[in-house]
Amino acid sequence: MKQEKKKHGFIKGFLVYILLMIALIVTGWVVLWRYLEHYEAARPVVVMENYMTQSLETDVDTAITVYAVERETYYQSASEIAEYLRGELAGLEWNYEKDEELSTEENPVFVLRCDEVALGHVTLTHTEDEAQMGIEQWENPAAQFDFDPLGKAVSVIAPYECTVLVDGVQLDDEFVTEALGLYPQLEEYELLITDPCHLLVYTLEPVFTEVAVEFSEGYTVLSCDEEDVHYAVPEFDGEEAEQLLTYCESFVQAYVDFTANNNGLWNVQQYMVENCDLFDEMTQATVGLNWGHGVNAEITMLEIKDFVYYGNAITCNAVYSMTRDDGDRTDHMHILLVNTEDGWRVIHREMYE
């Protein structure tokens, strides 16, 4: 009997031991699992993943509302800005990456991009609460947004005496960002044009709506391919413009007579600025270069187009067809005129395809 009691006691003790071991193992797994949970949750990447799925959309919407109010002007209302931004961002994917330059060990910083455009930053900060299981936790990520990259810059280039109106309101000096001596279209001729234009560059930025640009009387809009750049050029008297069109036609005729038919040096030089490079080039051609070798060219079609008056200069293009001994052909010439004491004269010509 004593032997059986000892046996039963041993078994009970062994079972208790087994149960204690199982309890310790389970407790250890629970503690380890909770530790891993806290560790995983405390990783900055996981914090950011949670932010992107749980909070980003709400933060963006709130930020748009605030930003629209800050950027509101007389030519774009807060509601127009907000509507534009929400429309632009709808359906686009956001992503993030760590900003190594801004990040510190205590405060990791992540840049937020939408369709590869950087529109904000998220900063992580440790909580002031006690660390859980020895692992420091993060506060709710603090996001800051800047939607300027989604706007456009609208530029207006006009003579300083020209009044510029946007949506009916005159722009003041607050919008002036630069002064220019020549229109950008004339910059390549800066060594030929000695009389400056005295231009002001007005810049509106960022703009999220279409704006109507107008100019005071005496100025007109210069057509260009740049959607968000508006040029004001002086209006040109219609009668004088017609006279100059005829003048350019006569220059082209004289140019062909000299370069192709080998006659009339003085006739072509009378249209030019005296002693300019083009004038000298024509003179040198009489003693060295004989361009046409007397091919008896006759103009059959001549058109002057793209005539632009800038105030201190005029540009236009001539397209003309010729019958020639060496074969019929069509040439294209770009012409630059400047105003001199003797009136408008050609200072540069350039052949183009």
Side-chain angles (χ1 to χ4, degrees), residues 67 84-85 147-153 205-208:
Y67 177 87
Y84 175 85
L85 290 175
F147 300 107
D148 282 2
L150 297 180
K152 61 185 177 182
E205 185 179 21
V207 177
F208 301 93

Side-chain angles (χ1 to χ4, degrees), residues 156-230:
V156 182
I157 299 176
Y160 72 94
E161 67 273 13
C162 173
T163 299
V164 179
L165 306 173
V166 171
D167 287 355
V169 179
Q170 180 178 343
L171 292 184
D172 55 28
D173 293 344
E174 174 189 353
F175 294 94
V176 175
T177 55
E178 190 179 0
L180 299 178
L182 288 175
Y183 287 91
Q185 294 86 343
L186 299 175
E187 284 182 352
E188 62 180 301
Y189 309 118
E190 62 181 346
L191 297 180
L192 300 175
I193 302 174
T194 58
D195 184 21
C197 294
H198 304 295
L199 304 170
L200 296 179
V201 180
Y202 301 83
T203 303
L204 288 71
E205 185 179 21
V207 177
F208 301 93
T209 61
E210 294 302 320
V211 295
V213 177
E214 300 173 288
F215 305 116
S216 55
E217 186 177 354
Y219 297 90
T220 187
V221 178
L222 173 63
S223 299
C224 65
D225 296 330
E226 301 167 273
E227 182 179 348
D228 300 316
V229 182
H230 304 264

Side-chain angles (χ1 to χ4, degrees), residues 20-146:
L20 287 173
M21 289 300 297
I22 292 174
L24 288 173
I25 292 172
V26 170
T27 301
W29 273 107
V30 169
V31 172
L32 178 61
W33 183 256
R34 289 189 62 191
Y35 178 85
L36 293 175
E37 276 189 324
H38 287 297
Y39 173 79
E40 183 68 15
R43 290 176 58 206
V45 171
V46 175
V47 176
M48 282 301 302
E49 287 292 338
N50 292 335
Y51 173 79
M52 298 294 287
T53 57
Q54 298 172 14
S55 304
L56 175 64
E57 185 176 351
T58 300
D59 282 2
V60 169
D61 193 69
T62 301
I64 286 176
T65 300
V66 174
Y67 177 87
V69 172
E70 293 175 347
R71 292 297 187 186
E72 183 176 32
T73 67
Y74 72 87
Y75 55 82
Q76 55 183 2
S77 67
S79 60
E80 288 175 322
I81 297 172
E83 181 181 2
Y84 175 85
L85 290 175
R86 291 189 175 106
E88 285 293 298
L89 296 176
L92 299 181
E93 291 188 4
W94 288 81
N95 57 75
Y96 68 92
E97 67 176 347
K98 191 173 183 180
D99 191 322
E100 299 295 346
E101 291 186 2
L102 296 180
S103 294
T104 64
E105 188 174 342
E106 296 78 17
N107 297 108
V109 178
F110 296 83
V111 59
L112 293 173
R113 287 191 173 89
C114 184
D115 197 25
E116 302 308 316
V117 179
L119 295 179
H121 284 86
V122 171
T123 303
L124 304 187
T125 305
H126 288 293
T127 63
E128 295 181 358
D129 299 335
E130 292 184 4
Q132 300 186 29
M133 302 187 72
I135 302 173
E136 293 185 322
Q137 303 299 302
W138 303 98
E139 295 179 352
N140 291 331
Q144 292 181 321
F145 295 89
D146 180 7

